[in-house]
């Protein structure tokens, strides 16, 4: 499931996947991965829903943004809203994971007219943006050459199982060829430039502000979370479910943060039920 389409937006060109037909669902991924994160979930849903999966400029995208592009959580959220608008879809179900969940919260609170329903799976929230074990990426982004070096290190497959790389995001090892595609993008100087900008801009002020505004989000929301997650505490899921007026929390067992890797069928079932019963 590779990105096979392109769309030009004010921020720049994004590649995306467009599969299936029916009520639209937009899937957002996090840092240093791309839409392949959802490769197991989309086939479960594409028979009943139109699944739109953009590759966001978060370090594993294949088309760099223009050199003068502003790349922050707010501008990426605006790009998601622009993406939805440019495709002419209405009342989408927006699904976010990891950093993409933080972006989804910003979209829902700053561009609610684009959203019909919201699904948040294990993700940055409140003061946890980024999680402590990954904050070295923010610090490193201020050191010239750090991201290029990180890309070289991540080519060594055994190092990907370390807790502070890809080791603790999924309970089961992510296939090597998939991570190869994530890491290969960092060989492009333009991609590195984009992710450095984003990393330098990350701040809990974005997620804390979104959390305050989610109390006014009056559309249905589903919170999917793993009790075993090592980065995103279950208490944050409970808090989100309490803040959003029309929210429901479902836990997904035997998984870590990347629910789409560990429990794709269960995630697809829960999303399908949520969308079908809310259309």
């Amino acid at each position: 499931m590779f990105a096979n389409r392109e769309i030009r937006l004010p921020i720049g060109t994004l590649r995306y996947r467009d599969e299936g037909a029916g009520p639209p669902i937009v899937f957002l991924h996090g840092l240093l991965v791309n839409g392949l994160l959802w490769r197991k979930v989309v086939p479960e849903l594409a028979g009943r829903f139109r699944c739109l999966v953009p590759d966001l400029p978060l370090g594993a995208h294949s088309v760099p943004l223009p050199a003068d592009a502003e790349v922050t959580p707010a501008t990426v959220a605006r790009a998601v809203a622009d993406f939805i608008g440019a495709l002419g879809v209405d009342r989408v179900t927006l699904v976010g994971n990891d950093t993409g969940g933080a972006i989804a919260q910003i979209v829902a609170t700053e561009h609610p007219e684009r959203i019909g329903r919201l699904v948040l799976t294990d993700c940055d929230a409140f003061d946890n943006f980024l999680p402590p074990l990954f904050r070295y990426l923010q610090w490193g982004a201020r050191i010239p050459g750090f991201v290029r070096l990180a890309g070289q290190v991540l080519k060594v497959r055994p190092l990907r199982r370390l807790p502070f790389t890809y080791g603790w995001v999924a309970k089961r090892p992510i296939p090597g060829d998939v991570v190869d595609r994530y890491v290969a993008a960092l060989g492009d100087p333009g991609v590195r430039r984009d992710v450095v900008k984003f990393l330098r801009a990350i701040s809990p002020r974005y997620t804390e502000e979104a959390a305050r505004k989610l109390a006014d989000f009056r559309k249905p929301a589903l919170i999917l979370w793993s009790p075993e997650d090592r980065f995103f505490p279950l208490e944050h899921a409970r808090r989100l479910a309490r803040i959003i007026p029309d929210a429901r929390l479902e836990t997904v067992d035997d998984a870590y943060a990347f629910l789409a890797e560990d429990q794709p069928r269960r995630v697809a079932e829960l999303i399908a039920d949520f969308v079908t019963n809310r259309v």
Side-chain angles (χ1 to χ4, degrees):
M1 191 185 97
F2 302 118
N4 54 9
R5 301 192 182 195
E6 290 187 357
I7 190 166
R8 184 163 299 198
L9 304 173
I11 199 172
T13 297
L14 297 188
R15 284 190 177 158
Y16 69 101
R17 300 147 185 82
D18 185 346
E19 299 188 21
I25 306 176
V26 176
F27 295 87
L28 306 183
H29 60 80
L31 273 170
L32 301 180
V33 303
N34 58 36
L36 285 174
L37 174 74
W38 301 103
R39 70 194 181 283
K40 300 177 186 177
V41 174
V42 166
E44 300 283 339
L45 295 171
R48 291 173 287 169
F49 307 98
R50 184 181 180 187
C51 299
L52 299 160
V53 192
D55 283 351
L56 302 176
L58 302 182
H61 52 299
S62 54
V63 181
L65 300 178
D68 61 351
E70 183 182 2
V71 192
T72 71
T75 61
V76 174
R78 188 181 311 128
V80 171
D82 291 340
F83 172 78
I84 295 168
L87 289 177
V89 290
D90 186 37
R91 292 176 50 81
V92 306
T93 297
L94 184 64
V95 182
N97 174 253
D98 188 39
T99 325
I103 299 299
Q105 293 169 58
I106 300 170
V107 177
T109 53
E110 300 298 327
H111 311 278
E113 70 282 0
R114 300 294 189 194
I115 311 302
R117 290 160 297 277
L118 177 66
V119 180
L120 297 176
T121 76
D122 303 50
C123 63
D124 301 84
F126 305 106
D127 62 348
N128 193 38
F129 187 27
L130 292 172
L133 198 60
F134 286 111
R135 287 178 192 166
Y136 75 92
L137 293 170
Q138 293 173 267
W139 306 326
R142 301 186 180 280
I143 302 172
F146 172 83
V147 172
R148 181 177 181 277
L149 176 62
Q152 295 297 317
V153 169
L154 289 172
K155 288 182 179 179
V156 182
R157 288 192 173 187
L159 298 181
R160 300 170 181 174
R161 293 300 297 164
L162 294 172
F164 53 85
T165 59
Y166 295 96
W168 281 2
V169 293
K171 196 168 187 179
R172 297 151 189 85
I174 304 171
D177 62 326
V178 173
V179 184
D180 285 344
R181 292 187 65 86
Y182 296 157
V183 172
L186 290 173
D188 187 313
V191 170
R192 295 197 300 270
R193 178 189 63 230
D194 293 341
V195 75
V196 163
K197 290 180 185 178
F198 187 85
L199 285 167
R200 290 179 177 180
I202 286 175
S203 168
R205 68 181 177 86
Y206 288 105
T207 39
E208 289 173 337
E209 182 177 3
R212 288 192 293 270
K213 293 181 177 180
L214 281 170
D216 296 321
F217 184 75
R218 300 293 172 176
K219 299 171 184 180
L222 174 65
I223 315 296
L224 301 181
W225 221 270
S226 167
E228 297 179 67
D229 191 333
R230 301 183 181 206
F231 297 113
F232 306 115
L234 182 60
E235 177 54 29
H236 282 185
R238 295 188 180 111
R239 285 177 65 188
L240 287 166
R242 289 195 298 266
I243 289 169
I244 302 171
D246 187 7
R248 181 176 97 240
L249 171 62
E250 294 277 356
T251 57
V252 179
D253 295 328
D254 194 23
Y256 288 164
F258 282 10
L259 298 185
E261 286 285 350
D262 288 327
Q263 296 293 339
R265 183 165 294 178
R266 180 60 177 153
V267 169
E269 288 173 352
L270 288 166
I271 292 174
D273 177 71
F274 175 63
V275 177
T276 300
N277 289 318
R278 292 289 191 170
V279 170

